[in-house]
């Protein structure tokens, strides 16, 4: 629960820090929440059904991690 609170704290700090972002903060936060949700759904479905096709749902999360590495 504390991770969710810290996520909202940092998002609000970025929103009001006066920095010019390429995309609005609410779009970035929405995309992040969707990617995290898709990741956990993919893990759940892959474990429950034992089908590896659901592992592709984790691809956006891996791409997000790679993107953050190069930023």
């Amino acid at each position: 629960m504390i991770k969710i609170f810290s996520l909202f704290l940092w998002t609000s700090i970025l929103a009001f820090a006066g920095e010019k972002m390429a995309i609005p903060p609410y779009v970035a936060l929405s995309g992040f929440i969707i990617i995290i949700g898709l990741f956990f759904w993919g893990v759940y479905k892959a474990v429950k059904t034992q089908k590896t096709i659901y592992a592709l749902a984790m691809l956006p999360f891996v791409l997000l991690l790679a993107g953050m590495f190069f930023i």
Side-chain angles (χ1 to χ4, degrees):
M1 199 67 175
I2 196 161
K3 291 180 182 180
I4 294 173
F5 289 138
S6 64
L7 171 70
F8 288 126
L9 173 72
W10 284 111
T11 304
S12 61
I13 287 173
L14 285 176
F16 297 109
E19 296 290 330
K20 299 294 182 190
M21 295 180 63
I23 57 174
Y26 62 88
V27 174
L29 180 63
S30 299
F32 180 72
I33 290 173
I34 289 170
I35 288 174
I36 296 299
L38 189 62
F39 173 77
F40 284 111
W41 175 82
V43 169
Y44 172 75
K45 290 293 279 188
V47 168
K48 186 176 180 182
T49 62
Q50 297 294 317
K51 293 184 180 179
T52 57
I53 191 70
Y54 291 112
L56 290 177
M58 295 180 260
L59 185 63
F61 184 74
V62 172
L63 293 175
L64 179 67
L65 284 174
M68 287 189 301
F69 177 74
F70 288 110
I71 289 178

